[in-house]
């Protein structure tokens, strides 16, 4: 989770029409270890996690040097759901600024259940 915290962006994997879909997003890892992302109310990701029941997603981030063939990759599988508490939403809106120039009016939390990864080291 420390490595994931150091990455500026990652990819969230969710189900869209019974098939896997992947979206790049920037994120933050909260003090309790949850991954926080912001998205649009009308996005496919928001549609996938809408409602009160949690949805299984995967989240991946990496830092790989293509010249030296070194780095790391972390994959988190966990439960995602929208954050609805207004104070928490306001807090995350101050802490996490999306990279795209669109209104990001939904905050989603991913609670890690499985964390795995690899390190690529020089021979």
């Amino acid at each position: 989770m420390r490595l994931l915290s150091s990455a500026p962006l990652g990819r969230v994997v969710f189900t869209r029409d019974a098939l896997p879909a992947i979206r790049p997003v920037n994120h933050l890892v909260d003090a309790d270890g949850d991954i926080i992302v912001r998205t649009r109310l009308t996005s496919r990701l928001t549609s996938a996690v809408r409602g009160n029941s949690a949805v299984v997603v995967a989240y991946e981030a990496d830092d790989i040097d293509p010249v030296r063939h070194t780095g790391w990759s972390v994959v988190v599988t966990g439960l995602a759901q929208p954050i609805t508490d207004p104070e928490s939403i306001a807090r995350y809106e101050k802490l996490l600024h999306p990279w795209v120039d669109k209104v990001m009016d939904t905050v989603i939390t991913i609670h890690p259940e499985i964390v795995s990864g690899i390190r690529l080291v020089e021979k």
Side-chain angles (χ1 to χ4, degrees), residues 2-3 12 24 38 52 66 78 83 88 91 96 115-116 120 123:
R2 178 184 53 79
L3 291 172
V12 63
R38 290 181 58 200
N52 292 328
I83 293 175
S88 295
R91 178 175 169 259
L96 183 59
V115 180
S116 62
L120 304 172
K123 295 180 182 179

Side-chain angles (χ1 to χ4, degrees), residues 19-123:
L19 297 171
I22 302 171
R23 294 292 178 265
V25 293
N26 63 320
H27 66 272
L28 66 82
V29 178
D30 205 353
D32 63 1
D34 287 348
I35 300 161
I36 308 298
V37 299
R38 290 181 58 200
T39 187
R40 295 182 328 275
L41 182 61
T42 59
S43 76
R44 298 285 186 171
L45 173 58
T46 302
S47 296
V49 299
R50 188 171 290 151
N52 292 328
S53 58
V55 175
V56 175
V57 300
Y59 194 81
E60 188 271 344
D62 52 50
D63 183 14
I64 297 173
D65 182 329
V67 174
R68 296 177 56 206
H69 302 162
T70 59
W72 55 266
S73 177
V74 173
V75 177
V76 172
T77 304
L79 299 174
Q81 60 189 75
I83 293 175
T84 57
D85 172 59
E87 288 182 21
S88 295
I89 291 170
R91 178 175 169 259
Y92 293 127
E93 286 176 343
K94 289 180 184 174
L95 293 172
L96 183 59
H97 303 282
W99 289 14
V100 295
D101 188 22
K102 293 186 178 182
V103 173
M104 297 296 181
D105 50 10
T106 302
V107 180
I108 294 175
T109 182
I110 302 168
H111 179 73
E113 297 290 333
I114 301 169
V115 180
S116 62
I118 60 167
R119 273 197 191 272
L120 304 172
V121 296
E122 290 185 271
K123 295 180 182 179

